[in-house]
């Protein structure tokens, strides 16, 4: 018996048809490139940051922006947005002192369209910039932020009434993390996404590419004026778009400073600053932005009621939109938690930014066996919170824990919700009313327990400094899940337990867009994660690759894998077609590709040859 020596892999390859050889070589090279590419791209990025430095910005500041006591004047008695003597202007005031800050234009349709047109023109050139050029603009903004942290915090505090620490954590830190994450990962997230082609199209390469929409229209809320504007400017610019932001009429004063920062960063790097525009105005202004023919997509953050109007405005134009509509986020404390570990998170979740957070804790579910202990621990801490003016102005030192409510009407909403709850049996432990010791728009930090499903406060968004405690009877996980999901909103959730497995099981049963286990709010500091909700909390996502790609059109592309190897139409199905032969040929081809039986495939090959 003679045994032949086994062929080497190279000899085996040489025995294959030339087309198969070429296909295998290309496949191996593609695998190698796809493996090495992420490593090489990070190395090139490291070199880019090491060898280049962003230019320094010089952005002029007014006295009110540069110093805590830069605003002089007595508090307004009853501040209103509209000024009878200036119908085309909106009045701005500090919600903590009620001091007049200035006015901004109440823009109408013509002004909105003019600015959107300028943005669309500038975007044509901006879309051709390289990722390195876009990173440099963002790095320039980042460098300025780091050098002017207190200025930005002061302006946020003055316009939105929040303490500077809240501004640093909720406005500055989140914005810097967004820039860092986009600069490090954005180019990779927007690379072509290659797709499998299947046996029939094995000679083709298929991929999805992400093409800038053009002009993104952003309608931003009032709770975080700096971050809510910069958030979409960062992702919009990096993805090659222009961004037109309609800022809230309640926080329009600060937008002038924040816009100057972005425009200066574009100009100092040699780009047209028209690619970013800021709109100020009332509902008419937002409506004009939604309906503008120069705007390609809308990103809205606000209430479900207004969100429906935005969606309705987009519908006649078939204009896509992202709706982030707030939440009624639950925080769950199981019976096995350590009290000293969870109490600080309850405080942070309910009272950061005076409760004016889309993903703030609106419902605190405490298991029955630990509720008494929890109340004993939490009530003194809430009673000890210092509330007042966040800047050192009007005789104040700014040393406060809780600031003011940004929107005057929110005070009425909170007051009505608390009153309804107490009338229906909830227990008021502290707070529950406006802070009469302050001249501004303040509502006292409040604790309510005994919240039940028939109370408005269990269903409606409070958006204020109110801790609503709901008892989980019999320490039942199943009942906890039922109570949590008995809500129209579904943005985020937090679950605490000494058993991570138990907490994950509860969290996975909650109907929401985000869940954090044994922590609160940290998902937003992981900017690689998408942000958004379900149900009344809206749809669509921003942040993460999902959010960055949502700034782009997804375009499917098919090209030849091997030069010269193209798709040809077999004679039996080329026009004019002989019906019987064409049908038999096509059915044989179907069996070759899709039959699970080897015998059927072989028989189909014979049939295919006969009908060729």
């Amino acid at each position: 018996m003679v045994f032949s020596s086994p062929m080497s892999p190279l000899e085996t390859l040489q025995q294959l048809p030339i087309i198969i050889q070429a296909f295998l070589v290309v496949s191996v090279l593609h695998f190698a490139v796809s493996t090495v590419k992420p490593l090489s791209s990070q190395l090139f990025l490291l070199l880019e940051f090491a060898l280049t430095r962003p230019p320094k910005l010089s952005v002029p500041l007014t006295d009110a922006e540069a110093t805590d006591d830069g605003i002089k004047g007595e508090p307004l008695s009853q501040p209103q947005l509209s000024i009878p003597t200036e119908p085309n202007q909106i009045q701005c005031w500090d919600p903590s002192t009620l001091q007049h800050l200035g006015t901004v234009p109440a823009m109408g349709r013509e002004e909105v369209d003019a600015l959107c047109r300028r943005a669309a023109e500038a975007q044509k050139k901006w879309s051709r910039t390289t990722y390195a050029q876009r990173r440099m603009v963002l790095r320039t903004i980042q460098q300025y932020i780091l050098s002017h942290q207190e200025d930005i915090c002061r302006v946020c505090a003055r316009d939105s009434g929040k303490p500077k620490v809240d501004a640093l954590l909720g406005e500055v830190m989140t914005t810097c993390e967004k820039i860092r994450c986009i600069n490090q990962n954005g180019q990779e997230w927007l690379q072509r996404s290659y797709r499998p082609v299947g046996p029939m199209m094995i000679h083709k390469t298929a991929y999805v590419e992400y093409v800038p929409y053009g002009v993104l229209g952003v309608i931003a809320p009032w709770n975080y004026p700096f971050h809510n504007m910069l958030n979409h400017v960062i992702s919009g610019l990096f993805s090659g778009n222009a961004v037109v932001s309609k800022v809230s009429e309640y926080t329009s004063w600060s937008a002038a400073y924040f816009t100057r920062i972005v425009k200066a960063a574009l100009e100092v790097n040699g780009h047209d600053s028209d690619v970013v525009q800021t709109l100020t105005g009332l509902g008419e202004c937002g409506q004009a932005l939604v309906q503008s023919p120069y705007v390609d997509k809308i990103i809205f953050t606000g209430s479900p009621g207004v969100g429906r109007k935005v969606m309705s405005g987009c519908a006649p134009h078939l204009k896509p939109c992202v709706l982030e509509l707030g939440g009624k986020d639950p925080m769950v404390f199981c019976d096995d938690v350590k009290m000293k570990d969870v109490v600080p998170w309850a405080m942070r979740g309910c009272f950061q930014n005076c409760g004016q957070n889309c993903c703030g804790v609106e419902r605190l579910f405490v298991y029955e066996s630990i509720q008494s202990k929890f109340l004993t621990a939490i009530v003194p801490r809430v009673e000890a919170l210092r509330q007042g003016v966040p800047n050192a102005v009007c005789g104040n030192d700014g040393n406060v824990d809780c600031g003011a409510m940004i929107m005057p009407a929110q005070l009425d909403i909170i007051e009505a919700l608390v009153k309804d709850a107490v009338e229906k049996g909830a227990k008021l432990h502290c707070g529950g009313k406006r802070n009469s010791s302050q001249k501004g728009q303040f509502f006292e930090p409040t604790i309510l327990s005994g919240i039940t499903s028939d109370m408005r406060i269990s269903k409606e968004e409070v958006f204020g400094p109110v801790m609503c405690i709901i008892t989980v009877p019999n320490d039942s996980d199943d009942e906890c899940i039922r109570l949590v999901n008995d809500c129209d909103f579904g943005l985020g959730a937090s679950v605490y337990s000494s058993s991570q497995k138990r907490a994950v099981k509860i969290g996975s049963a909650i109907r929401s867009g985000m869940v954090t286990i044994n922590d609160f709010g940290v998902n937003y500091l992981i900017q690689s994660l998408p942000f958004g909700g379900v149900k009344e909390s809206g749809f669509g996502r921003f942040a993460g690759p999902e959010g960055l790609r949502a700034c782009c059109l997804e375009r499917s592309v098919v090209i030849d894998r091997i030069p010269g190897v193209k798709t040809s139409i077999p004679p039996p199905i080329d026009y004019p077609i002989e019906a019987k032969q064409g049908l038999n040929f096509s059915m044989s081809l179907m069996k070759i590709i899709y039959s699970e039986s080897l015998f059927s495939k072989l028989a189909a090959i014979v049939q295919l040859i006969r009908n060729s």
Side-chain angles (χ1 to χ4, degrees):
M1 185 178 293
V2 178
F3 294 93
S4 59
S5 60
M7 289 189 295
S8 68
L10 181 59
E11 290 172 328
T12 302
L13 181 63
Q14 291 171 343
Q15 297 296 315
L16 297 173
I18 187 65
I19 293 179
I20 302 298
Q21 290 183 39
F23 172 72
L24 289 174
V25 170
V26 169
S27 298
V28 170
L29 289 174
H30 177 73
F31 175 77
V33 170
S34 64
T35 303
V36 174
K37 191 175 181 181
L39 297 176
S40 61
S41 64
Q42 291 300 314
L43 179 59
F44 282 122
L45 196 60
L46 186 63
L47 289 172
E48 177 186 318
F49 276 61
L51 298 176
T52 61
R53 286 287 180 269
K56 290 187 177 181
L57 290 187
S58 177
V59 179
L61 295 170
T62 65
D63 287 344
E65 294 163 347
T67 61
D68 276 16
D69 62 350
I71 286 288
K72 308 299 180 184
E74 293 300 312
L76 300 169
S77 58
Q78 289 183 325
Q80 300 289 329
L81 290 172
S82 299
I83 308 172
T85 56
E86 299 180 72
N88 296 320
Q89 297 289 310
I90 292 173
Q91 180 172 228
C92 305
W93 68 88
D94 182 334
S96 66
T97 65
L98 302 186
Q99 289 175 299
H100 177 79
L101 298 178
T103 60
V104 296
M107 296 182 183
R109 187 171 300 276
E110 289 186 8
E111 294 165 289
V112 170
D113 272 347
L115 291 175
C116 290
R117 187 188 305 115
R118 287 169 60 181
E121 283 299 315
Q123 189 272 338
K124 294 174 183 177
K125 186 174 181 180
W126 175 255
S127 67
R128 297 192 293 271
T129 55
T130 65
Y131 287 117
Q133 288 175 308
R134 298 173 193 177
R135 277 192 292 266
M136 183 56 75
V137 171
L138 298 187
R139 291 172 63 193
T140 304
I141 295 172
Q142 180 99 301
Q143 178 179 262
Y144 180 87
I145 293 172
L146 292 175
S147 300
H148 296 80
Q149 294 181 61
E150 188 168 3
D151 290 333
I152 294 169
C153 291
R154 177 186 303 110
V155 171
C156 289
R158 177 148 282 149
D159 206 17
S160 65
K162 62 170 61 68
K164 289 180 181 177
V165 172
D166 279 359
L168 186 69
L169 297 176
E171 308 252 26
V172 176
M173 182 183 291
T174 50
T175 301
C176 287
E177 178 57 24
K178 175 98 176 186
I179 293 174
R180 185 210 63 78
C181 184
I182 291 290
N183 273 344
Q184 182 174 337
N185 304 292
Q187 183 172 351
E188 180 184 344
W189 291 345
L190 294 179
Q191 291 300 299
R192 294 172 175 174
S193 175
Y194 286 88
R195 306 299 171 87
V197 294
M200 195 182 305
M201 291 288 113
I202 198 170
H203 59 296
K204 293 292 184 181
T205 294
Y207 59 86
V208 175
E209 62 181 8
Y210 300 97
V211 183
Y213 259 110
V215 178
L216 302 179
V218 177
I219 301 179
W222 35 262
N223 54 340
Y224 288 99
F226 179 66
H227 179 71
N228 286 336
M229 191 183 88
L230 269 290
N231 181 23
H232 301 297
V233 167
I234 293 163
S235 51
L237 288 180
F238 192 87
S239 54
N241 293 283
V243 183
V244 181
S245 301
K246 192 275 179 189
V247 296
S248 171
E249 54 269 39
Y250 291 100
T251 51
S252 294
W253 174 76
S254 57
Y257 174 41
F258 303 151
T259 302
R260 292 199 303 271
I261 297 171
V262 176
K263 284 185 172 288
L266 286 161
E267 290 167 1
V268 77
N269 284 290
H271 305 294
D272 187 349
S273 64
D274 276 350
V275 76
V276 170
Q277 300 289 349
T278 301
L279 310 178
T280 56
L282 302 173
E284 179 189 357
C285 177
Q287 184 180 37
L289 178 64
V290 170
Q291 296 176 350
S292 174
Y294 303 102
V295 174
D296 299 286
K297 185 170 185 175
I298 294 293
I299 302 173
F300 171 80
T301 303
S303 70
V306 179
R308 284 181 169 85
K309 292 180 180 179
V310 169
M311 192 174 178
S312 178
C314 289
H317 312 281
L318 297 180
K319 188 174 295 184
C321 60
V322 173
L323 301 180
E324 197 277 279
L325 306 179
K328 193 76 182 161
D329 283 12
M331 178 178 277
V332 175
F333 290 162
C334 295
D335 54 304
D336 57 358
V337 298
K338 294 180 179 179
M339 202 60 61
K340 65 179 179 63
D341 294 336
V342 298
V343 165
W345 289 113
M347 297 288 290
R348 174 62 61 185
C350 293
F351 299 113
Q352 179 171 317
N353 198 25
C354 221
Q356 299 166 105
N357 303 294
C358 295
C359 54
V361 175
E362 293 253 342
R363 298 177 296 153
L364 186 55
F365 292 86
V366 181
Y367 279 42
E368 186 175 17
S369 65
I370 64 167
Q371 181 169 299
S372 177
K373 185 178 179 181
F374 175 75
L375 284 168
T376 300
I378 200 79
V379 171
R381 292 193 59 162
V382 175
E383 289 176 330
L385 289 174
R386 298 159 299 174
Q387 187 172 47
V389 177
N391 282 320
V393 62
C394 299
N396 299 281
D397 61 8
N399 191 22
V400 298
D401 302 303
C402 286
M405 303 304 299
I406 302 166
M407 194 171 72
Q410 199 66 26
L411 291 162
D412 298 326
I413 293 171
I414 300 169
E415 205 165 43
L417 291 173
V418 171
K419 181 181 179 183
D420 173 79
V422 172
E423 287 177 350
K424 292 177 180 175
K427 182 176 180 180
L428 177 64
H429 297 268
C430 60
K433 62 184 187 299
R434 298 168 194 246
N435 192 331
S436 58
S437 67
Q438 300 291 331
K439 294 179 180 179
Q441 298 164 187
F442 294 91
F443 196 92
E444 293 182 357
T446 299
I447 298 179
L448 289 169
S449 66
I451 301 296
T452 54
S453 61
D454 62 323
M455 300 172 185
R456 288 175 53 199
I457 204 166
S458 71
K459 307 292 186 184
E460 300 176 28
E461 193 170 23
V462 180
F463 228 65
V466 181
M467 178 180 290
C468 296
I469 300 171
I470 302 170
T471 306
V472 178
N474 304 315
D475 295 349
S476 168
D477 291 353
D478 290 339
E479 182 62 11
C480 177
I481 293 166
R482 188 193 69 78
L483 290 169
V484 167
N485 286 329
D486 183 23
C487 180
D488 292 335
F489 290 95
L491 186 57
S494 302
V495 183
Y496 288 77
S497 170
S498 62
S499 167
Q500 180 163 287
K501 182 178 180 181
R502 180 187 185 186
V504 169
K505 184 178 180 181
I506 295 171
S508 65
I510 295 174
R511 182 76 169 166
S512 64
M514 302 169 289
V515 176
T516 305
I517 303 301
N518 288 325
D519 218 323
F520 164 75
V522 293
N523 57 298
Y524 204 69
L525 284 176
I526 304 174
Q527 281 286 314
S528 58
L529 289 173
F531 183 92
V534 297
K535 301 191 287 187
E536 288 287 300
S537 292
F539 55 80
R541 298 292 184 266
F542 47 83
E546 296 83 359
L548 190 60
R549 291 169 181 170
C551 298
C552 302
L553 297 163
E554 296 173 331
R555 182 159 62 197
S556 299
V557 181
V558 180
I559 62 174
D560 293 329
R561 185 183 296 272
I562 303 170
V565 179
K566 300 182 178 297
T567 304
S568 60
I569 301 176
I573 55 174
D574 194 12
Y575 292 112
I577 299 172
E578 198 288 306
K580 185 175 181 180
Q581 182 187 14
L583 184 61
N584 288 334
F585 178 90
S586 299
M587 289 192 298
S588 300
L589 185 62
M590 291 285 290
K591 289 182 179 179
I592 292 171
I593 297 172
Y594 301 113
S595 176
E596 296 183 7
S597 165
L598 178 59
F599 176 79
S600 178
K601 287 180 181 290
L602 293 173
I605 291 173
V606 173
Q607 192 68 21
L608 184 77
I609 294 171
R610 286 177 180 173
N611 287 282
S612 296

